[in-house]
Amino acid sequence: MDSKTKVIIFVDEDVLPIGEFITPVNFDLDTRKLIDGLHHLKIVSKDPIGKEGIKIIPFMVRNGPSITIDGLDPNDEVDGILPLMINAYGKGNQKQFLIDSSETPKSVPSWVIAGIIAFAAWAIYYTITSLG
């Protein structure tokens, strides 16, 4: 009979484990083999007398190109024609910085435009009232 606890590690609903180890263990999970999106890590532990414990940890993988959208937020109610700005860029080989598409241009927020209009109106009012 084994005197140490072992853990068996699964990803998502796979029936074949990605590893079986005697504890304590340091383990490197290579997410490059997983598609982008929600996954879960399932760890099954077995103690020396045969009792099992399970821990499930959800995690999000983002290895692919990052996608940003300006003009539509999750669960927005929309109608008519929607002007969208979409940008996607990858990390490259992570040994050199890629400047192309690494920043997403954004439109000017409406509160900035409203602030400029309010300031211009105040400046005109101030100029007119101070001349008299």
Side-chain angles (χ1 to χ4, degrees):
M1 180 182 270
D2 216 359
S3 64
K4 292 206 173 199
T5 300
K6 71 177 179 178
V7 292
I8 306 164
I9 302 172
F10 300 88
V11 173
D12 296 331
E13 300 300 323
D14 290 344
V15 291
L16 295 175
I18 58 171
E20 187 170 325
F21 307 98
I22 301 295
T23 59
V25 62
N26 290 325
F27 176 75
D28 292 329
L29 177 63
D30 187 1
T31 64
R32 295 174 297 180
K33 298 175 182 176
L34 301 173
I35 62 170
D36 282 2
L38 186 61
H39 295 274
H40 64 272
L41 190 68
K42 180 169 126 180
I43 302 165
V44 178
S45 65
K46 292 187 180 182
D47 70 9
I49 60 172
K51 289 187 178 181
E52 288 189 358
I54 296 177
K55 182 158 191 133
I56 298 174
I57 304 167
F59 62 97
M60 183 71 71
V61 173
R62 287 274 181 248
N63 289 326
S66 177
I67 301 170
T68 58
I69 299 174
D70 189 26
L72 182 64
D73 291 323
N75 303 315
D76 274 356
E77 273 189 39
V78 298
D79 63 354
I81 297 172
L82 265 177
L84 301 176
M85 182 184 303
I86 301 172
N87 191 17
Y89 53 92
K91 298 177 212 165
N93 63 9
Q94 296 184 344
K95 292 184 180 171
Q96 73 181 59
F97 178 69
L98 298 176
I99 194 71
D100 294 336
S101 300
S102 65
E103 291 186 9
T104 301
K106 294 260 185 187
S107 58
V108 177
S110 58
W111 64 267
V112 171
I113 295 171
I116 292 171
I117 292 171
F119 178 76
W122 173 82
I124 292 170
Y125 170 81
Y126 182 78
T127 303
I128 291 172
T129 57
S130 65
L131 291 177

